[in-house]
Amino acid sequence: MGNQNQLLVIILLFGMEVMCQDYIDNYSPIYDYDVEPTKQPTDVPVQIPSPTTTDYADPYMYYPYECARECFCPPSYPFAMYCDNRNLKSIPNIPRHIRHLYIQFNEIEAVNAKSFTNATSLREINLSHNKIKSSMVDRGVFFQIKQLLQLHLEYNNLEDIPAPLPNSLHRLFLGFNKISKLSPDALQDLTNLTILDLCNNKLIDAAVKGKILSRMKRLMQINLCNNKLKSMPSDLPSSLLQLSLENNSISSIPEGYFKKTPNLISLRISYNKLKNVPYKVFNMSNLMELNLGHNQLSKAFFIPRVLEHLYLNHNEFVDLNVSVLCPTIDLLRPNLLTYIRIDQNRLKGPINYYIYQCFPRIQNIFYGEQQVIENYLPPPVFQPGRPRLRGNIPAEPESVLVEEYPKED
């Protein structure tokens, strides 16, 4: 019996040794853990596995572990260099392997090409919240960076867009500057741009005339809020999904203006001077959000079937004619409106209950407080016409749900 137990132990030990040997052969670690690791000198290349995202889909490569002395490069990801909030007056020299440069919140006024001589791998540059002046930006300083995808220059003192810019750019942020014009040579080659942010500048109508914007065939979002526009920008690209024009002085929208932008999903024109709009100007097949708050509108207009969120607050509506908003009802293809905000208008009574027939998916009507009209004379009382129906008439709701602001003490 004793010999049998000894034999069984020998067989088990032999099996474990074979299994361990197979695991070691398949594992093949990079480092030899039997040897005590030593600190790598700064001039010796370190082997770093590349991330799995497509931006960094290089195979295993050797990169020097170096960093500007004014900045910090995380040992766990030395492709990024953090130079933010360090009271820098100038841009340090950027090592060749750096892909993400964060140098925001400093005192930088000039952008010199010398700093970017070796920075051929940059994908992202954040120079926001500095004091950069257009006259102190070397021409073509960013053009030489052929893999640049994202450029942040918001919150500076720029009067012009740095030109030229690389064709590789996908996202360009220029908000909170002093830009008053868009030079054609700065934007003409940006055929891969998807987001352009120009909010909080000094752009006038002449700056966005012509085909400056329409040349960007892949542009999906344009932010032109807080500028000095008096009319809608011309020749927008058909690829556009979101247009932001808040806080300008736009007073009208031309008939058929959005025919060239059929893919629009979100349109924001609040804080303008709109008094009237063409009846079917917003009849777009993909429009889901429409913000017309803080204008001077008083007449209802056609609501497209796919619209889900409508903001009409702070306007001059005395009556919201549901039959105008929704002239027909299709039971097979119902309107998708779920939320409407109409506070701070001049409405004197509840909304007609037919709104629930026209918009059967509505969940919230934000009625709120209305503006007080001095010496108000109510219009003649009449029963509004019913919207035309297609199919069976649904049961009318017992009451209209209205949400109000809480009254102040």
Side-chain angles (χ1 to χ4, degrees):
M1 181 66 68
N3 293 334
Q4 291 180 355
N5 290 338
Q6 291 178 0
L7 181 61
L8 180 60
V9 171
I10 292 172
I11 294 174
L12 289 174
L13 290 175
F14 178 78
M16 291 178 64
E17 184 178 358
V18 172
M19 292 174 64
C20 292
Q21 185 63 45
D22 290 341
Y23 177 77
I24 293 172
D25 291 342
N26 292 330
Y27 178 59
S28 301
I30 296 175
Y31 299 103
D32 186 0
Y33 289 99
D34 293 332
V35 181
E36 184 178 354
T38 57
K39 185 178 180 180
Q40 294 279 357
T42 56
D43 58 343
V44 176
V46 178
Q47 191 175 24
I48 301 169
S50 62
T52 56
T53 56
T54 55
D55 278 352
Y56 318 102
D58 300 319
Y60 284 79
M61 297 182 67
Y62 288 94
Y63 292 95
Y65 186 80
E66 59 179 302
C67 188
R69 59 182 178 82
E70 303 94 334
C71 309
F72 170 68
C73 301
S76 60
Y77 191 68
F79 297 115
M81 190 162 79
Y82 293 87
C83 313
D84 51 311
N85 284 290
R86 295 170 189 263
N87 295 318
L88 298 179
K89 302 289 185 181
S90 61
I91 302 174
N93 291 330
I94 305 160
R96 186 181 303 274
H97 68 283
I98 294 297
R99 298 179 179 180
H100 304 272
L101 175 63
Y102 303 105
I103 196 166
Q104 64 271 28
F105 292 100
N106 282 291
E107 303 293 325
I108 297 170
E109 294 185 359
V111 181
N112 300 316
K114 182 180 179 182
S115 301
F116 295 90
T117 301
N118 296 320
T120 55
S121 299
L122 277 174
R123 268 72 157 177
E124 178 185 6
I125 300 174
N126 193 333
L127 275 163
S128 64
H129 296 272
N130 277 283
K131 299 180 179 179
I132 299 173
K133 301 178 181 178
S134 294
S135 59
M136 301 181 72
V137 178
D138 287 353
R139 180 172 177 79
V141 63
F142 301 114
F143 184 74
Q144 61 184 343
I145 309 172
K146 300 301 183 181
Q147 300 183 65
L148 190 62
L149 299 174
Q150 185 162 295
L151 178 59
H152 288 264
L153 290 169
E154 61 266 40
Y155 290 95
N156 278 285
N157 296 319
L158 294 173
E159 298 176 350
D160 299 298
I161 299 177
L165 293 171
N167 174 265
S168 59
L169 265 184
H170 285 189
R171 296 172 290 276
L172 178 58
F173 300 90
L174 295 160
F176 294 91
N177 278 284
K178 302 176 182 179
I179 299 172
S180 59
K181 59 182 179 180
L182 305 180
S183 55
D185 59 336
L187 300 174
Q188 63 181 356
D189 295 324
L190 301 185
T191 54
N192 291 304
L193 200 68
T194 59
I195 297 176
L196 176 60
D197 183 10
L198 285 161
C199 283
N200 292 278
N201 277 285
K202 298 182 178 181
L203 294 172
I204 58 175
D205 292 340
V208 291
K209 293 293 184 184
K211 298 185 179 297
I212 292 179
L213 298 176
S214 61
R215 291 193 183 105
M216 293 178 274
K217 302 296 185 181
R218 297 186 180 180
L219 198 59
M220 293 187 289
Q221 179 178 340
I222 299 179
N223 299 333
L224 293 168
C225 54
N226 289 47
N227 277 283
K228 297 183 177 181
L229 301 177
K230 295 183 178 180
S231 60
M232 302 290 288
S234 61
D235 286 315
L236 297 175
S238 60
S239 57
L240 202 61
L241 300 180
Q242 178 174 326
L243 176 61
S244 297
L245 294 165
E246 304 100 311
N247 202 14
N248 280 282
S249 299
I250 299 172
S251 57
S252 64
I253 302 176
E255 182 88 37
Y257 175 81
F258 297 105
K259 287 183 178 180
K260 293 183 178 180
T261 55
N263 300 312
L264 263 183
I265 294 175
S266 174
L267 177 60
R268 301 172 182 176
I269 322 181
S270 58
Y271 290 94
N272 276 279
K273 297 181 179 180
L274 293 173
K275 293 184 177 181
N276 195 10
V277 295
Y279 177 60
K280 284 200 172 183
V281 70
F282 302 120
N283 188 20
M284 291 173 273
S285 58
N286 294 297
L287 189 63
M288 299 175 63
E289 179 194 15
L290 178 58
N291 193 333
L292 296 169
H294 294 270
N295 277 283
Q296 302 168 28
L297 297 170
S298 59
K299 294 182 179 180
F301 48 84
F302 179 76
I303 301 297
R305 187 188 70 85
V306 297
L307 191 69
E308 295 185 9
H309 295 87
L310 175 62
Y311 300 84
L312 297 174
N313 52 294
H314 294 83
N315 275 282
E316 303 293 330
F317 287 100
V318 175
D319 173 53
L320 201 63
N321 194 329
V322 179
S323 298
V324 176
L325 297 175
C326 168
T328 61
I329 297 176
D330 189 343
L331 300 180
L332 299 178
R333 300 176 71 248
N335 291 313
L336 304 182
L337 191 69
T338 61
Y339 177 87
I340 179 172
R341 180 177 175 181
I342 53 171
D343 56 296
Q344 295 299 324
N345 278 277
R346 299 178 181 272
L347 301 177
K348 298 299 292 184
I351 301 175
N352 191 282
Y353 59 83
Y354 288 129
I355 194 169
Y356 279 102
Q357 289 187 352
C358 284
F359 306 106
R361 298 190 181 184
I362 203 161
Q363 298 176 9
N364 195 341
I365 301 174
F366 200 85
Y367 192 91
E369 294 183 354
Q370 299 294 316
Q371 302 175 42
V372 177
I373 308 175
E374 296 182 1
N375 302 322
Y376 174 76
L377 294 177
V381 178
F382 67 95
Q383 180 68 28
R386 291 174 177 264
R388 287 178 289 143
L389 303 177
R390 297 177 183 174
N392 296 326
I393 301 176
E396 296 181 355
E398 296 181 358
S399 60
V400 176
L401 175 62
V402 172
E403 183 177 342
E404 297 185 358
Y405 280 122
K407 295 183 178 179
E408 298 181 357
D409 295 335

